Amino acid sequence: QLPTGLYKKVLVIMHDSILPYMNEPTLMIDFLTVAYGIGGAISLLALNGLFILIHQHNLEYPDFYKKLYSLLDPSIYHVKYRARFFHLTDLFLSSSHLPAYLVAAFIKRLSRLALTAPPEALLMIIPFICNLFRRHPACKVLVHRPNGPEDMSEDPYIMEEEDPSQSRALQSSLWEIQVCQ
């Protein structure tokens, strides 16, 4: 058990000052996965180290996207490490092999959270969502439905759902962007 302040200091420098100099960086797997599970700013900071272990050392983290999805809450727009979080989230969602339902869930949650976000956060979120649409064309159904907007009387998306696969985001529409206009 580390004090929160020390946890943050270690995690801020983990990806560039600790992991590259270790003979066995995989020894940090337990530390980083526990930190990722804590929540809040500590989870955000653990993302950098986990990314290195996943990308360069073949770490398998089965619930990684589920946990990343759960980190998207209203406080994400107000934390000190917001830019780092969105940079890493962009990296994690850049693979074209991700299922459309997963990316749609991230798009929908970010859009819903944008309704209460500060204006400066919108300058980051809208381009982020547009880039996700460019990389994952299957999600464009959120913007343009072949049957038109009449086929939905209420939004089927379940914001409270922890699992992105169960959120029903792909059956929804992106009405939140219209509201942000």
Side-chain angles (χ1 to χ4, degrees), residues 2 11 14 22 33 38 48 50 61 64-65 72 81 99-100 107 109 111 113 142 154 163 165 169:
L2 293 176
L11 291 171
M14 176 72 70
M22 292 182 72
T33 55
I38 289 176
N48 264 348
L50 276 175
Y61 194 99
F64 180 79
Y65 285 101
L72 293 175
Y81 308 105
I107 290 172
R109 182 165 274 191
S111 301
L113 292 172
L142 292 172
E154 63 181 44
D163 187 355
S165 65

Side-chain angles (χ1 to χ4, degrees), residues 17 75 84 88 115 119 123 163:
S17 298
S75 68
R84 179 185 295 197
L88 290 171
L115 294 174
L123 296 174
D163 187 355

Side-chain angles (χ1 to χ4, degrees), residues 133-175:
F133 278 125
R134 284 190 190 114
R135 285 191 212 121
H136 305 278
C139 294
K140 288 184 180 178
V141 71
L142 292 172
V143 176
H144 176 71
R145 292 210 169 272
N147 298 340
E150 301 80 45
D151 65 343
M152 277 197 277
S153 59
E154 63 181 44
D155 194 351
Y157 174 68
I158 306 168
M159 178 75 174
E160 296 78 25
E161 179 61 51
E162 295 285 325
D163 187 355
S165 65
Q166 304 298 319
S167 68
R168 301 184 59 201
L170 210 50
Q171 289 84 36
S172 184
S173 70
L174 214 57
W175 59 267

Side-chain angles (χ1 to χ4, degrees), residues 12-32:
V12 164
I13 62 170
M14 176 72 70
H15 68 285
D16 61 353
S17 298
I18 297 173
L19 288 177
Y21 301 104
M22 292 182 72
N23 290 332
E24 290 287 328
T26 54
L27 293 174
M28 298 305 294
I29 289 172
D30 289 337
F31 176 75
L32 288 169

Side-chain angles (χ1 to χ4, degrees), residues 2-134:
L2 293 176
T4 305
L6 184 58
Y7 240 130
K8 289 179 183 179
K9 287 178 184 177
V10 169
L11 291 171
V12 164
I13 62 170
M14 176 72 70
H15 68 285
D16 61 353
S17 298
I18 297 173
L19 288 177
Y21 301 104
M22 292 182 72
N23 290 332
E24 290 287 328
T26 54
L27 293 174
M28 298 305 294
I29 289 172
D30 289 337
F31 176 75
L32 288 169
T33 55
V34 167
Y36 191 50
I38 289 176
I42 292 176
S43 289
L44 298 179
L45 293 171
L47 281 173
N48 264 348
L50 276 175
F51 176 70
I52 290 171
L53 293 178
I54 289 169
H55 192 262
Q56 295 174 4
H57 302 282
N58 298 323
L59 169 68
E60 289 186 33
Y61 194 99
D63 290 334
F64 180 79
Y65 285 101
K66 186 176 175 181
K67 177 65 179 166
L68 184 64
Y69 183 73
S70 72
L71 289 176
L72 293 175
D73 62 15
S75 68
I76 198 68
Y77 296 122
H78 304 286
V79 294
K80 179 180 178 181
Y81 308 105
R82 176 179 65 195
R84 179 185 295 197
F85 172 75
F86 280 103
H87 169 71
L88 290 171
T89 303
D90 187 48
L91 278 174
F92 298 139
L93 295 175
S94 64
S95 172
S96 60
H97 300 295
L98 292 174
Y101 74 83
L102 179 69
V103 178
F106 277 89
I107 290 172
K108 187 67 177 170
R109 182 165 274 191
L110 285 167
S111 301
R112 184 72 58 91
L113 292 172
L115 294 174
T116 59
E120 65 273 5
L122 291 177
L123 296 174
M124 181 174 49
I125 295 304
I126 303 297
F128 186 86
I129 290 171
C130 289
N131 286 336
L132 288 175
F133 278 125
R134 284 190 190 114

